[in-house]
Amino acid sequence: MRVKKLLILTALSSIIFLSSCAGNKSMELSYENPVWDGYLADPHVFKSDGVYYACGTGQAEDGRHFPIVRSEDFQNWEPLGGALEPLEEPNLELYWAPEIAERNGKFYLYYAGDMNMRVAVADSPEGPYEDAGIKLFPDLEFSIDAHPYKDPVSGEWYLFFAKDFFDKKPGTALAVVKLGDDMISTEGEVHTVMRAFSDWQIYERNRHWYDKTWPAWYTVEGPAVLYKDGKYYCFYSGGNWQTPGYGVGCAVSEDITGPYKDPWSKAGPSVLSSDDTELIGPGHNSVIKAPDGQTWFIVYHSWNKEQTKRQMCIDPLIWTTEGPKCFNPSRGEKTISLPLGE
C-alpha cells in the first residue's frame, strides 16, 4: 500500500510539474550544484522531444569520449555513457568541447580532435555518434570550441568557434561561419566575432607556442549565443581554464556575424567569475531556457575543491543595465522560484 501511495504521489507531482511548465506558470526548481558528480567539462545542454541532454569534455566509464547525461525535469540528471568511440583513424589524443545540434531527425556532434574541428553524426541524441571523417577547417592549424547555432531570424545554421590570431593581442579568439546544408561543411567567409581586449583574458605570459615566445598569449573561447530583444548575445570564456581567474563575459551584436562588442568586462568577467563565490574557475558555458519556458539558464563547469574534476553547474541568468549576469552562482543545494524578475 505504501508503494502504491508513493507511485500515486510521484505521478501527481509529475502532472503538476508538467502542467506548470506547459502553461509557462510560476514553478520551483530544486537542485544541487554540481548537478552530476562526474567529470563533465565544457558542458553543452540541448533539448530534444521534451528531454534535456548535456554532453561535455571527459571520458565515460564505458571508454567512450564525451559523457552524456539526461534530465526530464532540469533538476535530476542521469548518466547515459559516452557519445563517441575513440577513433582508430586518425588516432586522436585530444577530444575537446562537444556540442550537439539536431536537424531533420539527425544529430550532429561538433568537437575538437587534436585541436582541429570535426563532426560526428547519430540518429539519436544519446548516440552512439560516428565520426564523419573530415576536418571542418583543414587550412587552420588550430580550431576548437564549436557552437552550432540556428539563427532564429533567418533560419540558417552557423558555426561559432575559436581560432588563433597573431596580430594585435595575439591568441585564441572567436569566429563564425555559415554551415553547409549537409551540416558537415562550411560555406563562405569566416567572420571575426570578437578578439581579446583585457588583461584578465591572458592565458599565459611568455608562452612558447608556434615555435615562438609570446610576451602575452590571450584567450577568449567557448562561444554560446542566444537571441533576445533583437540582439545576439555571445557568451564567452576568457583567461586560463586551469586557474581561478577563468570566467565568463558577454558580447552583443545586431548582426549574427558581428562584430560583437562587450562593454561590461574591461575590468573582469562580467557574467560569472570566482570573485565573491566559492566557485573555482567557472566557465565554458552553454545557455538554455528552463522548463518554465521563460527563464534563461547558464550551464557551466567549475572545479571541485580538490581541483581534480570540472563538473556541470546550472544557475539562472538575469538581465541588468550592466548586461546579463549569473544569478547567485554557487555550489550546493538550491531552490529557485521561476520566472525570475528581470
Side-chain angles (χ1 to χ4, degrees):
M1 180 65 71
R2 282 171 126 185
V3 173
K4 187 174 182 181
K5 285 183 177 179
L6 181 61
L7 289 172
I8 292 170
L9 287 171
T10 302
L12 286 171
S13 297
S14 298
I15 292 169
I16 293 168
F17 175 83
L18 291 172
S19 297
S20 67
C21 296
N24 285 343
K25 298 177 182 177
S26 60
M27 59 177 293
E28 281 193 345
L29 285 184
S30 295
Y31 61 92
E32 182 176 1
N33 275 336
V35 293
W36 181 58
D37 187 58
Y39 192 108
L40 199 151
D42 315 322
H44 174 242
V45 175
F46 65 102
K47 198 173 184 181
S48 180
D49 287 336
V51 178
Y52 291 93
Y53 296 89
C55 64
T57 302
Q59 193 163 23
E61 291 184 0
D62 58 14
R64 293 174 177 168
H65 293 285
F66 308 135
I68 298 179
V69 296
R70 61 168 276 164
S71 175
E72 295 191 2
D73 59 11
F74 203 58
Q75 302 169 100
N76 303 290
W77 297 79
E78 59 174 339
L80 300 177
L84 182 70
E85 291 281 358
L87 270 62
E88 295 182 2
E89 181 58 44
N91 184 14
L92 303 174
E93 293 184 14
L94 304 173
Y95 293 79
W96 291 352
E99 289 211 11
I100 295 172
E102 179 180 359
R103 184 180 183 188
N104 298 332
K106 292 282 188 181
F107 296 83
Y108 300 87
L109 185 152
Y110 300 84
Y111 71 99
D114 285 353
M115 298 180 286
N116 286 277
M117 290 308 316
R118 305 181 67 89
V119 60
V121 187
D123 294 322
S124 160
E126 300 179 8
Y129 289 79
E130 184 175 345
D131 185 83
I134 59 170
K135 291 182 181 181
L136 282 169
F137 304 103
D139 297 330
L140 292 179
E141 189 169 347
F142 184 91
S143 58
I144 64 170
D145 294 0
H147 172 59
Y149 180 71
K150 185 178 181 180
D151 180 10
V153 176
S154 68
E156 303 283 356
W157 280 91
Y158 288 83
L159 190 71
F160 290 78
F161 66 103
K163 72 185 193 78
D164 286 345
F165 295 80
F166 305 102
D167 60 338
K168 301 176 183 176
K169 285 179 166 48
T172 304
L174 305 180
V176 63
V177 68
K178 191 171 178 293
L179 277 169
D181 194 56
D182 59 6
M183 299 290 282
I184 61 172
S185 63
T186 64
E187 293 181 357
E189 179 184 357
V190 173
H191 300 268
T192 298
V193 169
M194 194 191 77
R195 299 283 302 273
F197 57 85
S198 180
D199 281 358
W200 73 267
Q201 298 160 344
I202 293 175
Y203 179 89
E204 185 179 13
R205 293 190 184 275
N206 299 313
R207 188 185 191 196
H208 191 71
W209 192 238
Y210 294 100
D211 298 321
K212 178 179 176 179
T213 298
W214 306 85
W217 185 264
Y218 292 79
T219 292
V220 291
E221 60 185 8
V225 178
L226 65 81
Y227 183 76
K228 185 178 187 296
D229 299 332
K231 294 181 179 179
Y232 299 90
Y233 291 81
C234 180
F235 296 80
Y236 67 90
S237 295
N240 188 326
W241 60 274
Q242 301 166 94
T243 70
Y246 199 60
V248 178
C250 184
V252 186
S253 175
E254 294 183 355
D255 191 321
I256 189 169
T257 58
Y260 288 73
K261 301 290 185 184
D262 179 354
W264 308 297
S265 300
K266 186 65 178 175
S270 63
V271 178
L272 174 64
S273 72
S274 297
D275 292 346
D276 300 322
T277 75
E278 58 189 29
L279 298 172
I280 303 173
H284 200 128
N285 72 281
S286 54
V287 288
I288 197 166
K289 282 188 176 176
D292 70 341
Q294 301 176 66
T295 308
W296 285 100
F297 265 65
I298 180 170
V299 181
Y300 60 95
H301 72 234
S302 69
W303 289 98
N304 62 353
K305 187 187 303 183
E306 299 77 20
Q307 289 190 247
T308 57
K309 290 191 288 189
R310 288 180 290 168
Q311 298 171 296
M312 185 173 85
C313 301
I314 65 175
D315 281 306
L317 281 170
I318 55 175
W319 303 84
T320 77
T321 55
E322 297 300 315
K325 294 184 180 297
C326 184
F327 176 75
N328 189 26
S330 60
R331 288 184 161 227
E333 296 183 357
K334 305 196 172 196
T335 298
I336 299 174
S337 297
L338 302 180
L340 292 175
E342 297 191 0

